[in-house]
Amino acid sequence: MSETNGVSKEQNETETEALAPATYKRSLLTQISEGPESLDNSLNNGFKAWNEMLEAENHGMLGRVQDLERRVLEQGDELVCLKATLAEALRRLSIVEGMRTPHSLTQISSSPSTPVRNGTSKEQLRLRQPVISSAKINLDAREINRRSYAGSSLPQRRAVHYQSTGSLHSDSQSSNSVSPIPSPSPRATPLPVPPKRTPVATQQNGSNGLHKRWSSTGDFNNGLISPQSKFSTKSFLNLFTKPSSAMANVKHGTKEANYNDEDHSVRMYLRGRPIILYTPSDVAENYDITKVATAPSQKLKLDWVYGYRGRDCRSNLYILPTGEMVYFVAAVVVLYNAEEQSQRHYLGHTDDVKSLAIHPNKLVVATGQCAGHDKREARPHIRVWNSVSLHTMAVIGVNEFDVSVCCISFSKADGGAMLVAVDEASDHTISVWDWQKGENGYKITETKCSVDTIVAAEFHPLDKNCIVTCGKSHIGFWSLDAGGTLYKRMGIFESRDKPKFILCVSFLQSGDVITGDSNGNIVVWGRGTNTIVKMVKNVHEGSIFSICVLKDGAVVSGGGKDGRMVQFDANLERTGEESQIEGHYGGIRVISEGRGSQLLVGTTRNCILTGNGSLGFQPVVLGHIDELWGLAAHPTVPQFATAGYDKLLQMWDSMSHSILWSKDIGVHAQSLAFSPDGNIIVVGCVPNGNWMVFDSQTRELMSQHSDGPEPIQIMQFSPDGSMLALGSRDNYIYMYQVSETHKFSRVGKCMSVATSSHGTKLTVGHSSFVTHIDWSADGEILRSNSGDYELLYWNAATCRQIPQSSAFRDTEWASNNCTITFSTIGIWPENADGTDVNYCDRSHDMKLMATADDFGKVKLYSYPVMQPKSLNHSYGGHSSHVTSVAFLHDDSRLVSIGGKDTSVMQWVVS
């Protein structure tokens, strides 16, 4: 390009164009003075110059517009990355802000909190602890407690920074935590070397409440909710009604309780049965039954959720741009960053989450829930929320669904403006929503879908207003017209064998629909048609539960029975690459694309694995798969054990949030208890009175015993570990002597002697099954509750009942797991039927009491809870009856387990 005096030609042309009107005006005046002919020539030249200038300008403008369009198209993916970067920055900023919250410093323990298994000295353990400078930052109690846990049971974890913060710009309950990187062990882990045991004088029991029909409600603690939130998760009713005061929302103790000044006793009623509880001498004179006890200053915050729901839910595992996996268990949606070992939790739901969908922008999430036992507060609906802030954007269909939202999907071709949902009712109603219209969305249309089961509903990614559903013996292709009417065409199988189920649906890059069925076949349906264009037979042995189309067009299928993953190229030709998932993880429920070449795999046994065909797959989430009843906290280290009807006994580390070991014990488990030294753990089994003794570190079976024909409901060691009491469903308590070498010798069974009308002496125990047991601090007396609300006292040495209940008003008890005592009067709600509270546990410092109830709630009280009107902090997250709770050895955390929801939740006490 030529230049004049250092100025480009384009610049000269621009300057010339700018001067053109003035120059042309002077020239025009000159031509007018010279004559008409000169004027005509001048006008023609002028018009020609203007046309040339406009043409050049239009040409330049068109080029610039085309260049802008090209850049916009090229930067489409970059915009998504920028959003992801912003989301990650906001999340990290919230973590830092949470660390700056001032709290009082607590004393740091210098002793190791886990058994030293590799000969590490105390000095080395001390050096592992991170340096804490109070001049730089104020750390909360949870931070200090975590830092005091220096000696991990996993040797490679050293000097790890633990932290926990609150919700990220959230107007609903949420939580966030960071932990060290775990090394998750599979279901069958190698046996460790047996360590040298050192007895410890601390006792802890983990046992369960009584077995009953479960229920749940939607009453969540609103202590963590922003007061400005119109989508607070206290209840759905506050979307339509004015919230009542805090006092009106609190359930008080038993309504008819009264106090007797003469014998200093409280009479309360459970299902009309009077129960007399004697007041301790130090509070008898000043006791006022009408006083309202305040809730404790400490609160609980959800720290970690163990488990995943893959046993019966599909399409519920994705990765977000922030690197977090999103999935659900119970009523909690978990956002888990496996690299940073951190979890955040969306707690807006009031019952089981059954479905999940990700918006095309990868930042908005929709989750659907089922109806709970309490129809008023746990109604099926959809919640749309922001995955960065955990802010609820819309609550959809609160009164529109009957059973549960089993399938949901965002539209793709129009940028995610619509949402399709299927109700798991008898006629499987399908509805389409404009979810951004108002706070509760706008239902565009709905119609009956099918009387048969629907397992998937997806918007087509390329064809606007096209929806594909599949399920039992059918596949449907739906079109939504401009008037909001849905039209359905059924898939035609022609002469091909029609499968019993079409179990998954996905879309090829060409727009063709691809499905997997119960015969192990992969079928391709032509775009815009309802006919088959290609079939690949016998890909798997049994059903195909998931098909994942990768970004490069490759296809991966997962077998629910054979546990295999088979990879195809874009033309559905096998590449020869196959992977096999180990059988103890279960079959493949869902396959999702992860970071890079990694895949996320959810299994039918509630596990999540990551990896690829060349490197193999490793578990990142493990959990239970059947009803969960057994829970016991280790008496000296931050570990706990769980067991349930899935025949699994699992030991967890609360600091690394990982499983230390897992063992299939071959029978259903009902109850658990650690010995006071923590070296052994006993397991009560179902359906008979068998119970087993395991080494807590080598998980070796040490002995096996049997007492009575019914399951052992509750197990409790005496404070010094010399005795073991077993409460059975046959109404008796069996007593055992325990030697220093952990040999068990039966002493007898607790019973009382009664005389019949004929003068015959009868020996009886409780009149119903035993539910709870406590030992006195000196190990001489036992107290127990039963299924018919009895509170009885026993001489542990003689196994005889002591009928004088008033004699034990001042007895010091080593634990308080019995729900019917004077110190637990306030845990019972008004009009309680006696089975509302399944279990309770007192903190070791005797300041707090936590309860597990039948409504999916974990509640925290100030101890003792001796006022019928005792306020509490109530926390949701479980979607089933909470069967047990247990404080860990240092009271820094609380663990709760859900029955049917199979979840294990860890809470921080702060």
Side-chain angles (χ1 to χ4, degrees), residues 197-212:
R197 294 170 176 161
T198 56
V200 185
T202 304
Q203 178 211 9
Q204 174 66 39
N205 168 47
S207 53
N208 56 280
L210 47 93
H211 191 311
K212 67 180 291 298

Side-chain angles (χ1 to χ4, degrees), residues 78-201:
E78 296 180 10
L79 290 174
V80 175
C81 295
L82 289 173
K83 289 181 180 179
T85 304
L86 176 61
E88 182 69 6
L90 290 173
R91 188 177 66 83
R92 293 178 180 271
L93 180 61
S94 296
I95 292 176
V96 174
E97 290 175 349
M99 291 174 58
R100 293 174 180 172
T101 304
H103 289 280
S104 59
L105 295 177
T106 59
Q107 185 177 359
I108 304 175
S109 172
S110 61
S111 60
S113 54
T114 55
V116 182
R117 305 186 183 195
N118 56 355
T120 308
S121 66
K122 290 186 177 181
E123 180 63 23
Q124 290 172 318
L125 288 170
R126 184 186 65 80
L127 293 175
R128 288 184 187 180
Q129 297 184 15
V131 178
I132 300 176
S133 174
S134 59
K136 293 182 179 180
I137 188 168
N138 289 326
L139 299 175
D140 61 11
R142 176 173 181 265
E143 181 81 4
I144 299 299
N145 287 332
R146 284 195 166 194
R147 290 180 182 233
S148 67
Y149 174 71
S152 173
S153 58
L154 305 177
Q156 70 271 27
R157 303 185 184 106
R158 301 184 179 183
V160 183
H161 175 67
Y162 302 96
Q163 65 182 10
S164 173
T165 68
S167 60
L168 303 181
H169 313 294
S170 174
D171 63 355
S172 64
Q173 294 188 39
S174 61
S175 64
N176 176 57
S177 61
V178 177
S179 76
I181 299 175
S183 178
S185 56
R187 299 295 168 120
T189 47
L191 293 173
V193 178
K196 183 178 179 180
R197 294 170 176 161
T198 56
V200 185

Side-chain angles (χ1 to χ4, degrees), residues 669-683:
Q670 178 73 31
S671 53
L672 291 179
F674 273 103
S675 61
D677 59 11
N679 290 329
I680 63 172
I681 184 170
V682 291
V683 183

Side-chain angles (χ1 to χ4, degrees), residues 531-788:
T531 57
I532 297 174
V533 298
K534 187 173 184 178
M535 176 181 284
V536 184
K537 291 189 175 182
N538 302 321
V539 178
H540 290 272
E541 178 185 350
S543 301
I544 299 176
F545 279 172
S546 182
I547 292 179
C548 179
V549 179
L550 306 180
K551 293 178 181 178
D552 59 3
V555 177
V556 181
S557 64
K561 180 180 178 181
D562 57 16
R564 290 169 46 241
M565 284 188 289
V566 181
Q567 187 159 341
F568 302 83
D569 60 18
N571 298 317
L572 278 186
E573 300 294 335
R574 296 198 188 201
T575 63
E577 185 175 340
E578 293 189 9
S579 302
Q580 179 69 51
I581 302 299
E582 297 180 33
H584 54 80
Y585 295 129
I588 297 173
R589 175 63 72 186
V590 57
I591 302 174
S592 179
E593 195 166 14
R595 278 190 166 183
S597 63
Q598 285 196 333
L599 295 176
L600 306 179
V601 179
T603 75
T604 56
R605 290 181 64 86
N606 294 349
C607 302
I608 298 178
L609 303 96
T610 62
N612 53 43
S614 58
L615 299 177
F617 290 84
Q618 299 298 324
V620 293
V621 175
L622 296 174
H624 285 276
I625 60 172
D626 206 344
E627 192 162 357
L628 198 55
W629 281 97
L631 170 66
H634 196 288
T636 59
V637 296
Q639 298 172 3
F640 60 93
T642 56
Y645 289 176
D646 56 3
K647 304 178 182 179
L648 289 178
L649 172 62
Q650 303 193 128
M651 182 74 75
W652 307 80
D653 185 277
S654 67
M655 304 301 291
S656 63
H657 304 136
S658 62
I659 288 183
L660 299 178
W661 55 261
S662 179
K663 184 179 182 66
D664 188 338
I665 61 177
V667 293
H668 301 308
Q670 178 73 31
S671 53
L672 291 179
F674 273 103
S675 61
D677 59 11
N679 290 329
I680 63 172
I681 184 170
V682 291
V683 183
C685 305
V686 176
N688 47 36
N690 291 342
W691 54 281
M692 295 179 283
V693 182
F694 293 92
D695 187 296
S696 65
Q697 295 175 16
T698 66
R699 66 187 180 279
E700 175 189 358
L701 178 61
M702 302 175 65
S703 61
Q704 194 167 355
H705 310 268
S706 182
D707 288 287
E710 299 288 337
I712 303 298
Q713 289 281 115
I714 187 74
M715 319 176 84
Q716 188 84 284
F717 280 93
S718 62
D720 61 1
S722 62
M723 300 284 286
L724 173 65
L726 309 170
S728 172
R729 283 194 69 90
D730 67 2
N731 305 351
Y732 289 104
I733 299 174
Y734 297 89
M735 300 294 299
Y736 275 81
Q737 187 79 32
V738 185
S739 68
E740 293 183 358
T741 57
H742 299 118
K743 300 296 182 182
F744 293 81
S745 304
R746 181 168 166 176
V747 175
K749 61 182 180 180
C750 294
M751 61 186 64
S752 59
V753 179
T755 303
S756 68
S757 58
H758 302 288
T760 305
K761 289 188 176 181
L762 304 175
T763 56
V764 296
H766 273 285
S767 57
S768 184
F769 54 90
V770 182
T771 58
H772 307 90
I773 291 175
D774 284 319
W775 284 90
S776 62
D778 57 14
E780 296 181 358
I781 306 299
L782 205 66
R783 69 179 176 186
S784 57
N785 293 154
S786 64
D788 60 352

Side-chain angles (χ1 to χ4, degrees), residues 330-529:
V332 180
V333 186
V334 181
L335 296 92
Y336 173 38
N337 191 314
E339 293 182 0
E340 297 184 0
Q341 284 306 295
S342 63
Q343 273 190 3
R344 295 187 295 136
H345 311 105
Y346 178 73
L347 300 175
H349 286 281
T350 55
D351 211 274
D352 282 299
V353 181
K354 295 293 292 292
S355 53
L356 186 150
I358 306 297
H359 193 274
N361 65 12
K362 306 298 184 183
L363 296 180
V364 175
V365 180
T367 45
Q369 76 164 58
C370 68
H373 185 70
D374 187 337
K375 298 296 183 182
R376 292 185 67 240
E377 293 201 4
R379 290 174 286 184
H381 66 284
I382 301 169
R383 300 182 80 88
V384 182
W385 46 280
N386 186 295
S387 63
V388 177
S389 64
L390 304 182
H391 166 76
T392 302
M393 303 170 68
V395 178
I396 297 173
V398 172
N399 296 307
E400 301 291 338
F401 302 104
D402 293 329
V403 179
S404 71
V405 183
C406 61
C407 306
I408 52 176
S409 173
F410 282 104
S411 56
K412 281 83 173 176
D414 62 355
M418 294 185 293
L419 188 69
V420 63
V422 176
D423 187 358
E424 201 174 23
S426 57
D427 53 4
H428 293 90
T429 302
I430 181 172
S431 55
V432 179
W433 300 78
D434 182 349
W435 66 270
Q436 299 176 91
K437 192 172 184 179
E439 297 175 353
N440 305 115
Y442 170 73
K443 183 167 64 176
I444 299 173
T445 186
E446 72 171 4
T447 186
K448 293 181 180 179
C449 184
S450 170
V451 295
D452 295 320
T453 303
I454 304 293
V455 300
E458 295 287 342
F459 268 101
H460 197 287
L462 302 178
D463 297 339
K464 189 176 181 180
N465 299 334
C466 178
I467 302 169
V468 181
T469 62
C470 66
K472 185 178 181 180
S473 301
H474 78 280
I475 179 171
F477 299 88
W478 300 78
S479 297
L480 179 67
D481 66 9
T485 304
L486 278 171
Y487 297 94
K488 178 182 179 183
R489 292 181 299 163
M490 298 297 294
I492 300 175
F493 289 89
E494 298 176 345
S495 61
R496 300 175 178 86
D497 292 336
K498 191 175 183 179
K500 292 183 178 179
F501 276 91
I502 297 179
L503 294 166
C504 56
V505 60
S506 189
F507 302 91
L508 298 176
Q509 291 185 342
S510 62
D512 292 340
V513 179
I514 181 171
T515 60
D517 60 39
S518 56
N519 294 336
N521 303 331
I522 292 179
V523 178
V524 179
W525 306 79
R527 179 178 178 180
T529 72

